[in-house]
């Protein structure tokens, strides 16, 4: 499954969050906000990923077919942030550990070759 | 840009991508400008003869290149290939050191560097022969520049040093080759002179 658009990214996140059947546990707006936060975090550690729009970061509003303005090889990396950040709000030990793992994976994918 | 240069750039990009995991094409193209500029500034390899019409009693002229950015004045000669004393206090401004007593045609040989591309993520325009002759050197320079970037998946300061030294070596060889007009075993030419300081 590709993650080229906001809708595809949110759909992929819902698979990992096991939240595909409405009413959703994580709202569409929460996941879109996570995409925006992930983009800003990526901009912080990898400004080279945003050479042409460094001063005008893309901001997404709705779950639609808007393309995600990030090099395709880092779309899965962004997905890890979206899922990890969504699970940050939960207060269970297993969720905390998973959230931490995914957020660490996001950063390590941006900064190292490690998979 | 010609189809040949496009193909050569693609070849270079393919090679660089395989050596720099996680690098994005836009960054590679962005760094290419600085690598080419460094190479051309050091070697004065890209040269152009610009024709000027010198008029009586006038010593200052403005001129520009249709291909690149002017960086150095190699020399000026007149219609009879006789060197003319001149200087270029500001790139693109020629100052004749002797006031012309008649109208004559002059030829200013200048060295060029790349022009900033319209988009930062575009390859700069260069002559075909440059990439054909020095593809390996440009690759070394590009790898040195990319590998020395901190906090990237492809960061490797050791390898950056290796490629930087290889690039420096080839730049020095290229500079010598262009000073001899790429003539194998050639001696330094009297024309064009690097410094048009007087007539011989």
């Amino acid at each position: 499954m590709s993650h080229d658009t906001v809708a595809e990214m949110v759909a992929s996140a819902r698979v990992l969050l096991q939240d595909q059947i409405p009413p959703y546990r994580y709202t569409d707006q929460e996941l879109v906000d996570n995409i925006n936060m992930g983009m800003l975090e990526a901009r912080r550690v990898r400004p080279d990923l945003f050479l042409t729009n460094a001063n005008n970061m893309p901001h997404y509003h709705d779950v639609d077919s808007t393309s995600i303005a990030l090099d395709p090889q880092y779309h899965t990396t962004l997905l890890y942030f979206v899922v990890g950040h969504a699970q940050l709000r939960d207060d269970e030990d297993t969720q905390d550990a998973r959230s931490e793992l995914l957020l660490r994976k996001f950063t390590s994918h941006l900064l190292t070759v490690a998979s | 840009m010609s189809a040949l240069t496009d193909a050569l750039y693609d070849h270079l990009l393919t090679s660089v991508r395989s050596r720099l995991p996680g690098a994005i094409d836009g960054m590679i193209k962005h760094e290419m400008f600085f690598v080419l500029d460094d190479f051309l500034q050091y070697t004065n390899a890209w040269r152009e003869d610009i024709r000027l019409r010198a008029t009586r009693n006038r010593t200052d002229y403005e001129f520009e290149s249709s291909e690149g950015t002017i960086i150095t004045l190699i020399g000026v000669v007149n219609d009879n290939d006789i060197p003319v004393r001149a200087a270029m206090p500001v790139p693109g401004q020629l100052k004749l050191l002797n006031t012309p007593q008649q109208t004559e045609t002059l030829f200013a040989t200048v060295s060029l560097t790349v022009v900033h591309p319209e988009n930062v993520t575009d390859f700069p325009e260069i002559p075909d022969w440059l990439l054909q002759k020095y593809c390996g050197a440009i690759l070394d320079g590009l790898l040195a520049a990319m590998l020395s970037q901190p906090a990237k998946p492809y960061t490797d300061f050791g390898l950056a040093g290796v490629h930087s030294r290889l690039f420096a070596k080839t730049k020095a060889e290229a500079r010598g080759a262009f000073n001899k007009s790429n003539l194998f075993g050639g001696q330094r030419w009297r024309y064009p002179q690097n410094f048009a300081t007087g007539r011989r």
Side-chain angles (χ1 to χ4, degrees), chain B residues 72-164:
Chain B
T72 308
L73 179 67
I74 306 291
V76 181
V77 295
N78 62 16
D79 256 341
N80 300 316
D81 275 348
I82 295 172
V84 172
R85 295 178 68 205
M88 191 174 67
V90 172
Q93 291 180 10
L94 186 73
K95 188 172 188 64
L96 299 177
L97 300 183
N98 296 320
T99 310
Q101 297 306 305
Q102 60 189 18
T103 300
E104 60 177 342
T105 301
L106 301 178
F107 296 92
T109 302
V110 294
S111 66
L112 307 174
T113 185
V114 283
V115 176
H116 276 276
E118 213 168 296
N119 296 316
V120 293
T121 53
D122 282 345
F123 277 130
E125 299 251 359
I126 51 168
D128 290 342
W129 60 261
L130 181 65
L131 212 46
Q132 276 186 294
K133 188 169 162 68
Y134 291 108
C135 203
I138 302 299
L139 177 61
D140 280 322
L142 195 51
L143 287 171
M146 293 291 290
L147 289 164
S148 64
Q149 290 178 4
K152 300 292 185 300
Y154 44 84
T155 302
D156 188 329
F157 296 127
L159 259 184
V162 168
H163 286 290
S164 180

Side-chain angles (χ1 to χ4, degrees), chain A residues 56-96:
Chain A
N56 188 21
M57 286 292 293
H59 189 86
Y60 308 107
H61 303 281
D62 300 308
V63 179
D64 55 19
S65 58
T66 308
S67 294
I68 292 185
L70 185 66
D71 194 278
Q73 63 184 306
Y74 290 105
H75 282 185
T76 306
T77 307
L78 181 62
L79 174 65
Y80 294 148
F81 182 92
V82 173
V83 176
H85 201 271
Q87 292 183 316
L88 261 184
R89 77 166 198 202
D90 291 319
D91 197 17
E92 298 160 20
D93 290 344
T94 50
Q95 296 284 58
D96 282 349

Side-chain angles (χ1 to χ4, degrees), chain A residues 46 48 51 71 73-74 110-111 113, chain B residues 22-24 26-27 151-153:
Chain A
R46 288 288 304 273
D48 61 302
L51 282 178
D71 194 278
Q73 63 184 306
Y74 290 105
L110 289 174
L111 299 179
V113 180
Chain B
I24 59 168
M27 193 67 216
K152 300 292 185 300

Side-chain angles (χ1 to χ4, degrees), chain A residues 38-55:
Chain A
M39 295 288 275
L40 288 174
E41 187 61 16
R43 165 70 177 88
R44 183 181 73 83
V45 296
R46 288 288 304 273
D48 61 302
L49 297 178
F50 303 94
L51 282 178
T52 55
N53 52 9
N55 297 322

Side-chain angles (χ1 to χ4, degrees), chain B residues 7-199:
Chain B
L8 289 167
Y9 267 140
D10 275 344
H11 199 150
L12 206 61
L13 201 57
T14 305
S15 186
V16 171
R17 279 192 201 122
S18 66
R19 297 170 194 237
L20 303 175
I24 59 168
D25 287 0
M27 193 67 216
I28 296 169
K29 293 176 183 178
H30 178 69
E31 285 287 355
M32 177 66 92
F33 170 81
F34 297 104
V35 170
L36 287 170
D37 181 57
D38 180 19
F39 183 86
L40 291 169
Q41 295 258 10
Y42 187 81
T43 61
N44 289 317
W46 186 10
R47 300 183 184 188
E48 185 185 357
D49 291 325
I50 300 175
R51 187 189 169 117
L52 292 158
R53 194 89 181 131
T55 54
R56 194 162 174 257
N57 294 333
R58 184 181 163 200
T59 57
D60 295 335
Y61 300 86
E62 289 199 357
F63 62 113
E64 60 182 9
S65 165
S66 56
E67 299 170 10
T69 302
I70 295 172
I71 47 173
T72 308
L73 179 67
I74 306 291
V76 181
V77 295
N78 62 16
D79 256 341
N80 300 316
D81 275 348
I82 295 172
V84 172
R85 295 178 68 205
M88 191 174 67
V90 172
Q93 291 180 10
L94 186 73
K95 188 172 188 64
L96 299 177
L97 300 183
N98 296 320
T99 310
Q101 297 306 305
Q102 60 189 18
T103 300
E104 60 177 342
T105 301
L106 301 178
F107 296 92
T109 302
V110 294
S111 66
L112 307 174
T113 185
V114 283
V115 176
H116 276 276
E118 213 168 296
N119 296 316
V120 293
T121 53
D122 282 345
F123 277 130
E125 299 251 359
I126 51 168
D128 290 342
W129 60 261
L130 181 65
L131 212 46
Q132 276 186 294
K133 188 169 162 68
Y134 291 108
C135 203
I138 302 299
L139 177 61
D140 280 322
L142 195 51
L143 287 171
M146 293 291 290
L147 289 164
S148 64
Q149 290 178 4
K152 300 292 185 300
Y154 44 84
T155 302
D156 188 329
F157 296 127
L159 259 184
V162 168
H163 286 290
S164 180
R165 283 189 288 277
L166 286 170
F167 184 47
K169 176 174 170 288
T170 316
K171 274 194 308 184
E173 287 169 359
R175 185 180 166 115
F178 281 99
N179 276 347
K180 295 172 194 166
S181 293
N182 294 303
L183 179 64
F184 181 75
Q187 295 298 312
R188 190 182 176 89
W189 279 50
R190 287 175 56 192
Y191 167 78
Q193 295 181 66
N194 285 339
F195 303 99
T197 56
R199 299 184 181 207

